[in-house]
Amino acid sequence: DSGVTQTPKHLITATGQRVTLRCSPRSGDLSVYWYQQSLDQGLQFLIQYYNGEERAKGNILERFSAQQFPDLHSELNLSSLELGDSALYFCASSVGGRPGNEQFFGPGTRLTVL
Amino acid sequence: DAKTTQPNSMESNEEEPVHLPCNHSTISGTDYIHWYRQLPSQGPEYVIHGLTSNVNNRMASLAIAEDRKSSTLILHRATLRDAAVYYCILRDGVGDYKLSFGAGTTVTVRA
C-alpha cells in the first residue's frame, strides 16, 4: 500500500460525458502527478501540482483539467469523453518536486468510455 | 527528454540474480537515473535511483557506468513477486520532475 488513494476504482461512461477522478496523496506529500496509461501510448505524464499550484504540464488534452485543493487532494476532470480516453489513470505523490524524490503511485482508476 | 533504451524482455530463474541493462547515451549532467517497476494490475513502484555513484537499497542495486551512458539494475535474488515491467527513466534535475516512461523491460521469473 503506497498510501496514495484514488477513487473510483472503475468508471464506465458514455462518449460525450464528463467525469472526475479523485486522488488523495500520502500524508505530508505536497506534490501530485497525474499519468495516463493506455495500451497504445503506454504511461504518459499529464500534469503536476505542487502545494496547490500547477508546476508542469505534459501531454494533457484541452478537454482535461486538474486542480489541487488546500487539503492537497487533487481532482482530474475529463470532459467530452471519447472512446480513446479509455485508459488507466494513475495519481502519484511525492514529498516535494525535487528530482531525487520518489513518487508513490496510487492503484489507479480504470476509465471505460463506451 | 533524454531517451533510454532497454531490452523488451528478460527471463530469469527464481533465486538467481537478474541484471537489467539500460542505455542512455544522451544523458545530461543533471539527469538522475530512476528505476520503477509495475507489477501486473498495479501502479508503478519506485525501485531505486542514482546520479553518479552506485547505489544499494533493500530492493536492488544500481550500477552506473563511469561515463553515465549506461546503467544496470541488479535484482540479487529474483522471486516470483519480481515479475514485472521495469522502467529505466532519466529525470531532469533542473527542470520539471515528471517521469517519462518508455516501454520498459518485461521480466519473467521461472519457478
Side-chain angles (χ1 to χ4, degrees):
Chain A
D1 183 0
S2 67
V4 178
T5 59
Q6 291 187 248
T7 56
K9 283 189 177 174
H10 302 276
L11 200 48
I12 300 174
T13 187
T15 54
Q17 294 298 303
R18 182 179 190 274
V19 297
T20 297
L21 312 184
R22 183 188 168 102
C23 168
S24 293
R26 291 188 325 149
S27 176
D29 284 358
L30 299 178
S31 210
V32 168
Y33 306 77
W34 285 97
Y35 294 85
Q36 179 194 57
Q37 185 170 33
S38 60
L39 281 174
D40 55 345
Q41 298 280 343
L43 261 164
Q44 289 204 87
F45 166 74
L46 295 177
I47 196 163
Q48 178 203 357
Y49 279 83
Y50 177 78
N51 203 19
E53 299 288 327
E54 184 184 301
R55 175 66 67 90
K57 248 182 179 177
N59 300 323
I60 187 166
L61 300 171
E62 283 192 16
R63 300 183 285 109
F64 295 1
S65 65
Q67 54 184 325
Q68 186 179 27
F69 294 87
D71 67 353
L72 300 177
H73 91 270
S74 178
E75 292 181 356
L76 179 67
N77 300 297
L78 316 176
S79 62
S80 303
L81 285 169
E82 302 175 0
L83 295 177
D85 297 328
S86 295
L88 263 169
Y89 290 85
F90 290 106
C91 165
S93 73
S94 67
V95 170
R98 294 161 103 45
N101 293 147
E102 61 183 280
Q103 291 184 17
F104 295 87
F105 283 77
T109 292
R110 182 174 293 280
L111 174 66
T112 302
V113 182
L114 302 175
Chain B
D1 293 330
K3 191 176 166 55
T4 63
T5 304
Q6 301 177 249
N8 289 334
S9 62
M10 291 190 75
E11 286 191 357
S12 174
N13 295 318
E14 204 174 6
E15 300 196 5
E16 289 186 357
V18 182
H19 287 68
L20 299 175
C22 180
N23 286 319
H24 29 79
S25 58
T26 60
I27 190 170
S28 76
T30 56
D31 284 337
Y32 285 71
I33 302 162
H34 282 248
W35 285 82
Y36 280 74
R37 71 180 185 181
Q38 188 173 19
L39 279 63
S41 302
Q42 294 189 28
E45 173 186 36
Y46 168 82
V47 177
I48 200 166
H49 80 276
L51 183 60
T52 56
S53 304
N54 294 344
V55 186
N56 299 298
N57 66 18
R58 63 174 179 80
M59 286 182 70
S61 295
L62 176 60
I64 302 172
E66 203 167 321
D67 63 4
R68 299 211 323 130
K69 293 183 186 301
S70 66
S71 60
T72 302
L73 178 71
I74 303 163
L75 308 177
H76 295 287
R77 290 183 65 195
T79 69
L80 296 178
R81 197 197 171 275
D82 292 322
V85 180
Y86 286 77
Y87 298 97
C88 171
I89 301 165
L90 298 183
R91 199 172 182 197
D92 189 356
V94 294
D96 58 63
Y97 307 129
K98 66 181 185 291
L99 295 172
S100 297
F101 290 84
T105 298
T106 299
V107 171
T108 304
V109 180
R110 293 183 292 254

